[in-house]
Amino acid sequence: SLIYQRLHRRSMARVTVRVGLVACLVAVVAGWGSQPALRRQAPRASRVARSVAARVGPRMDGKYSPAATSEIPVSSAVSDTRPKKVLVLGGDGFCGWPTSLHLSDAGHEVIIVDNLSRRNIDIELGVSSLTPIATPQVRVETWNQMTGKEIRFINLDLAADYDLFLQLIKQEKPDSIVHFAEQRAAPYSMKSSRHKRYTINNNVGATHNVLAAIVESGLDIHLVHLGTMGVYGYGNSGGEIPEGYIDVVLPGGREKRILHPAYPGSIYHTTKCLDALLFQFYVQNDQVRVTDLHQGIVWGTNTPQTARDE
């Protein structure tokens, strides 16, 4: 079956949450390509932001957001409708599989890269899905036969096989990479020192290898990463969490634009915070195009694509 987890059809609200995430990812992947982005007027900037912009302008130099205070880039899906080649890292997972199907269904060329760690963790814990999950090879073959489209699957460990991944992106030259390939369970990341070390090595190592490979390849690839709202903690942050960066006044009256403070509650959430710092560094130093989406809990039963093979 193409479905990841059916839970015997609970509520349509759960379906909506999952479909909404997939649609958001597809809009980012398909729209933010080689053509200039459409733009819309932003809300009036704060006093600090206006002061910063007046001095240094809209640039990314490690101190300030790449967006100007007068306009915010938004998806250019309307003007750039050509099919894209997309690598979906972690495409065998709960979010990665439906995203891969949705992108393929929309006409994009999809290559799934996964080391099947989620399946191996299930074996380690002695558990299994509430509904059977076919092997990635069977899943891909079923989709290809049903639709006449083609999704490819490559078994590769991003944290360990840097040279193979670099060779892959040089050969395939993807337009975009969607990055789900991280150990995704906060409780698992806290089970023992071994699980903590594995989560750090796997998650941070994979993210950094992806960024380094994009730079070494010399290709202009847009990286889309799925983060988590958990990086901000589960208490009251004291105010609205903005898009991108926040403007602050440091002691002595120094004005600066920084990442929103993070309060991770587990090793898993800490890796997402470290991801954000890596993204900031590579945007600043190597001009890598990165979209880091921080979402709440993703749940659901089916998407329109997974429901085709009940």
Side-chain angles (χ1 to χ4, degrees):
S1 173
L2 290 174
I3 186 172
Y4 170 69
Q5 190 174 24
R6 181 161 40 195
L7 297 179
H8 203 60
R9 291 192 182 280
R10 289 285 174 87
S11 68
M12 286 305 297
R14 296 186 176 191
V15 178
T16 301
V17 172
R18 194 174 182 193
V19 172
L21 170 67
V22 172
C24 177
L25 286 165
V26 170
V28 172
V29 170
W32 292 7
S34 60
Q35 299 197 17
L38 302 176
R39 293 184 178 269
R40 61 177 171 83
Q41 291 299 309
R44 181 172 175 79
S46 67
R47 179 186 63 79
V48 175
R50 294 197 301 273
S51 173
V52 168
R55 286 203 314 273
V56 302
R59 60 184 178 137
M60 168 52 76
D61 59 2
K63 301 178 181 178
Y64 310 109
S65 168
T69 58
S70 60
E71 52 184 22
I72 298 174
V74 297
S75 173
S76 60
V78 174
S79 61
D80 186 5
T81 58
R82 66 186 177 89
K84 307 293 196 305
K85 179 181 285 189
V86 185
L87 297 188
V88 181
L89 313 180
D92 185 50
F94 179 73
C95 294
W97 178 243
T99 299
S100 299
L101 298 187
H102 194 113
L103 287 168
S104 176
D105 202 33
H108 303 292
E109 182 179 352
V110 176
I111 303 171
I112 291 174
V113 177
D114 201 299
N115 69 344
L116 309 183
S117 64
R118 176 183 54 81
R119 297 173 185 260
N120 294 331
I121 289 173
D122 285 352
I123 295 172
E124 172 198 340
L125 299 177
V127 299
S128 59
S129 172
L130 294 179
T131 57
I133 305 175
T135 66
Q137 292 82 359
V138 170
R139 289 174 128 185
V140 166
E141 183 179 356
T142 302
W143 173 259
N144 294 347
Q145 290 180 355
M146 288 177 55
T147 64
K149 304 176 185 296
E150 182 183 13
I151 291 179
R152 287 181 281 158
F153 167 72
I154 297 173
N155 191 330
L156 189 151
D157 188 334
L158 291 167
D161 300 327
Y162 175 81
D163 290 337
L164 292 177
F165 180 68
L166 175 60
Q167 180 182 348
L168 175 66
I169 62 175
K170 283 183 175 180
Q171 176 180 327
E172 297 294 344
K173 297 180 173 57
D175 298 284
S176 303
I177 294 176
V178 182
H179 180 18
F180 294 110
E182 298 183 77
Q183 192 291 103
R184 87 292 190 209
Y188 183 86
S189 76
M190 300 294 288
K191 281 176 63 65
S192 70
S193 61
R194 178 175 69 84
H195 294 90
K196 292 175 180 178
R197 289 185 291 108
Y198 168 75
T199 302
I200 291 287
N201 293 340
N202 181 80
N203 292 9
V204 180
T207 295
H208 186 247
N209 279 353
V210 171
L211 289 164
I214 290 174
V215 173
E216 187 172 350
S217 74
L219 299 170
D220 181 23
I221 300 171
H222 180 194
L223 177 63
V224 182
H225 174 258
L226 192 67
T228 171
M229 288 293 291
V231 300
Y232 304 120
Y234 293 96
N236 187 347
S237 69
E240 180 181 353
I241 298 175
E243 293 284 343
Y245 293 68
I246 61 173
D247 301 306
V248 299
V249 178
L250 300 175
R254 292 174 294 150
E255 299 169 348
K256 197 167 185 180
R257 183 167 290 176
I258 64 172
L259 287 169
H260 192 284
Y263 302 97
S266 72
I267 291 295
Y268 160 78
H269 291 105
T270 301
T271 64
K272 297 293 187 175
C273 298
L274 296 173
D275 285 343
L277 290 174
L278 288 171
F279 296 145
Q280 183 186 39
F281 177 85
Y282 274 90
V283 169
Q284 169 193 337
N285 288 274
D286 299 285
Q287 293 73 55
V288 176
R289 293 186 293 132
V290 177
T291 300
D292 193 16
L293 301 171
H294 285 186
Q295 86 300 324
I297 295 174
V298 179
W299 55 340
T301 54
N302 271 327
T303 67
Q305 290 75 33
T306 62
R308 295 184 191 178
D309 185 51
E310 285 285 354

